[in-house]
């Protein structure tokens, strides 16, 4: 049986909701389904204001515009993350100051942030890797002390909590993703969460090409025009219809993913105890939203060999991430600091197949593949 790395979940209602959106006669942005999605998130998580966007990348770009990043401003970003976490700020001319990962898990090391702050620092951008929470107590305390903005890259962190408070509700602004590799999907798609009220009005404008069209449609003004910079960040209601069919099944999705996560964890414990690799550590204060399952190999060579071994068995496991501080685009701009924990995880981390329809049989096949690799090393 071939086991892919990911397979998009479908609730079964996506096509009929899309048909409904089409029949409603309004399929541009902010239609019926977009409003349903907005209410879902505001009601379930108590977010002050949410706006669907075309991607998490776009939500991050909106955030960079909203906090008014200017050329030369510095933004503190983890190096172990997806490019968009940094790119959104680079587009506004920011200098990215990369912070290393923790020693025992890939999230940004909050204890290393304060030393990076200068008079030009504008924001800190924590990314919750694998959905696991960064240390939001320390990060918010530093941000408050130095009067900095916090933008959470919560792309992987839907329905997760830090010390009982939902992720995405800590930062002034937060960005989520509904890309097909995430827990809840719309193909491409994202969401901006606005926790600091001062940004709500402008967020609507930036998302609507710099116009006050949203206020116009609410009847608050009698004509709309160009009032600020902006772009087209709102998704079609077709996308929102797809997303809403997923959101209605969020609890089912999460329950199933948690079982899949636990199965890997239980089955791989013996090999981990024998020292062949380490299992993910859920950081203190964080819940687990079962976004992904990864193992940390003992070195790069072993990870490469294990990946090939699994591939021969038709199992697709993939690494994460190439460090941004040594990327082709940023290496010359980086200040040269060695980020050894980031490099450590970049060389050793391997993500295992993880998706809603992954059966126990398939999971056992993955576990057997991993066991056969390490047992062969013992002989
Ligand atoms: C998936 C992801 C993104 C990008 O999401 P898009 O919706 O594809 O733009 C950004 N940051 C992180 C950490 C991600 O995992």
């Amino acid at each position: 049986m071939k086991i892919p790395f990911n397979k998009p979940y479908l609730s079964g209602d996506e096509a009929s909701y899309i048909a409904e959106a089409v029949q409603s006669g309004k399929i541009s942005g902010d239609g019926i389904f977009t409003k349903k999605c907005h209410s879902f998130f505001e009601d379930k998580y108590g977010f002050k204001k949410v706006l669907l966007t075309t991607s998490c990348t776009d939500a991050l770009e909106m955030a960079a515009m909203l906090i008014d990043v200017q050329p030369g401003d510095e933004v503190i970003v983890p190096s172990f993350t997806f490019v968009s976490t940094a790119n959104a700020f680079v587009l506004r001319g920011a200098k990215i100051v990369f912070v290393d990962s923790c020693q025992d898990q890939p999230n940004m090391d909050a204890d290393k942030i304060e030393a990076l702050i200068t008079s030009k620092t504008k924001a800190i951008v924590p990314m919750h890797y694998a959905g696991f929470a960064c240390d939001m107590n320390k990060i918010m305390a530093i941000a408050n002390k130095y009067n900095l903005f916090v933008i959470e890259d919560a792309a992987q962190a839907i329905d997760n909590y830090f010390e009982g408070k939902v992720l995405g509700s800590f930062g002034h602004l937060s960005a989520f993703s509904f890309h097909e590799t995430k827990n809840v999907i719309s193909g491409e798609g994202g969401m901006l969460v606005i926790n600091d009220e001062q940004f709500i009005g402008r967020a609507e404008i930036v998302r609507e090409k710099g116009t006050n069209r949203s206020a116009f449609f609410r009847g608050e003004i009698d004509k709309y025009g160009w009032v600020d910079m902006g772009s087209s960040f709102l998704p079609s209601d077709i996308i929102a219809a797809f997303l809403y069919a997923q959101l209605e099944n969020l609890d089912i999705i999460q329950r199933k993913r948690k079982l899949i996560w636990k199965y890997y964890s239980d089955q791989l414990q013996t090999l981990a105890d024998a020292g062949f690799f380490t299992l993910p550590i859920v950081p203190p204060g964080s819940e687990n939203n079962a976004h992904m399952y990864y193992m940390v190999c003992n070195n790069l060579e072993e990870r490469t060999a294990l990946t090939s071994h699994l591939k021969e068995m038709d199992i697709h496991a993939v690494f994460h991430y190439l460090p941004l501080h040594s990327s082709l685009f940023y290496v010359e701009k980086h200040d040269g600091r060695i980020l050894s924990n980031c490099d450590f995880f970049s060389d050793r981390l391997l993500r295992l197949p993880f998706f809603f329809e992954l059966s126990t049989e398939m999971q056992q096949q993955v576990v057997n593949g991993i066991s056969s690799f390490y047992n062969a090393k013992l002989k």
Side-chain angles (χ1 to χ4, degrees):
M1 198 175 354
K2 194 176 161 73
I3 306 181
F5 173 67
N6 181 52
K7 184 178 176 202
Y9 163 81
L10 291 174
S11 74
D13 290 329
E14 286 82 358
S16 65
Y17 285 6
I18 287 171
E20 217 180 290
V22 170
Q23 280 148 20
S24 81
K26 185 182 184 297
I27 50 171
S28 58
D30 284 336
I32 299 163
F33 283 100
T34 303
K35 294 199 171 86
K36 280 178 189 269
C37 292
H38 288 172
S39 302
F40 176 90
F41 285 110
E42 287 165 6
D43 295 346
K44 185 169 173 74
Y45 299 117
F47 292 139
K48 199 156 284 167
K49 173 81 180 168
V50 313
L51 290 170
L52 291 193
T53 57
T54 31
S55 64
C56 176
T57 301
D58 277 346
L60 290 165
E61 287 178 25
M62 279 182 73
M65 289 184 194
L66 290 170
I67 64 166
D68 204 22
V69 173
Q70 296 294 317
D73 284 350
E74 295 177 5
V75 179
I76 297 175
V77 174
S79 178
F80 191 84
T81 185
F82 188 63
V83 287
S84 298
T85 321
N87 224 347
F89 301 92
V90 167
L91 282 169
R92 306 252 67 80
K95 178 182 172 215
I96 305 299
V97 178
F98 287 111
V99 59
D100 204 359
S101 296
C102 296
Q103 201 174 359
D104 59 351
Q105 45 99 4
N107 276 344
M108 62 159 56
D109 185 345
D111 291 328
K112 294 201 176 115
I113 294 172
E114 199 161 5
L116 303 176
I117 292 172
T118 72
S119 58
K120 290 184 171 166
T121 307
K122 182 97 183 184
I124 306 171
V125 191
M127 188 279 273
H128 307 295
Y129 186 70
F132 300 157
C134 293
D135 189 333
M136 294 315 292
N137 288 338
K138 282 187 185 157
I139 292 168
M140 294 315 292
I142 294 167
N144 288 335
K145 181 171 168 191
Y146 293 94
N147 205 15
L148 307 175
F149 290 113
V150 173
I151 317 284
E152 292 177 72
D153 181 342
Q156 306 176 8
I158 191 166
D159 199 47
N160 209 16
Y161 295 81
F162 177 73
E163 295 187 351
K165 187 166 149 62
V166 74
L167 294 183
S169 68
F170 288 87
H172 299 80
L173 298 159
S174 304
F176 285 87
S177 176
F178 307 120
H179 183 262
E180 75 169 13
T181 51
K182 307 301 201 273
N183 293 28
V184 168
I185 64 173
S186 61
E188 303 279 352
M191 172 170 78
L192 180 72
V193 174
I194 304 150
N195 298 310
D196 183 340
E197 266 170 43
Q198 65 162 313
F199 294 118
I200 293 176
R202 222 183 133 223
E204 288 186 335
I205 289 165
V206 164
R207 180 166 166 269
E208 272 279 22
K209 304 96 184 163
T211 73
N212 50 4
R213 190 168 156 172
S214 300
F216 172 72
F217 280 128
R218 283 197 299 266
E220 293 165 16
I221 47 176
D222 56 14
K223 54 181 183 292
Y224 78 88
W226 188 16
V227 295
D228 204 331
M229 71 173 187
S231 191
S232 184
F233 292 122
L234 74 173
S236 147
D237 215 46
I238 295 173
I239 301 282
F242 190 108
L243 180 63
Y244 192 65
Q246 300 256 320
L247 295 179
E248 284 187 325
N249 290 278
L250 178 64
D251 292 342
I252 294 167
I253 295 171
Q254 292 301 87
R255 210 174 305 134
K256 181 73 190 291
R257 292 185 75 102
K258 284 174 189 178
L259 290 175
I260 293 170
W261 205 98
K262 185 170 186 312
Y263 190 85
Y264 273 139
S265 193
D266 291 345
Q267 297 296 314
L268 293 171
Q269 191 63 54
T270 312
L271 286 168
D273 289 344
F276 289 120
F277 48 81
T278 61
L279 297 181
I281 289 171
V282 184
S286 180
E287 300 289 321
N288 179 4
N289 71 339
H291 170 61
M292 75 164 80
Y293 199 88
Y294 68 81
M295 47 192 279
V296 181
C297 298
N298 285 340
N299 54 59
L300 175 59
E301 294 68 36
E302 219 161 271
R303 182 183 72 181
T304 308
L306 172 60
T307 309
S308 314
H309 174 82
L310 292 174
K311 190 140 197 248
E312 278 164 25
M313 301 173 76
D314 260 344
I315 298 165
H316 193 203
V318 283
F319 65 83
H320 236 183
Y321 286 106
L322 292 172
L324 295 184
H325 72 281
S326 50
S327 63
L328 190 59
F329 179 65
Y330 223 86
V331 67
E332 295 298 323
K333 302 175 191 69
H334 176 59
D335 54 29
R337 276 172 303 118
I338 291 165
L339 305 176
S340 53
N341 295 335
C342 170
D343 292 339
F344 178 94
F345 288 110
S346 180
D347 285 347
R348 292 167 180 79
L349 191 143
L350 188 66
R351 294 179 291 155
L352 302 181
F354 202 112
F355 49 91
F356 186 89
E357 283 178 54
L358 188 68
S359 64
T360 307
E361 288 84 351
M362 286 169 154
Q363 272 197 288
Q364 195 52 53
Q365 201 176 317
V366 177
V367 171
N368 291 346
I370 296 167
S371 305
S372 62
F373 176 79
Y374 287 104
N375 286 334
K377 290 178 83 71
L378 284 178
K379 284 176 193 140

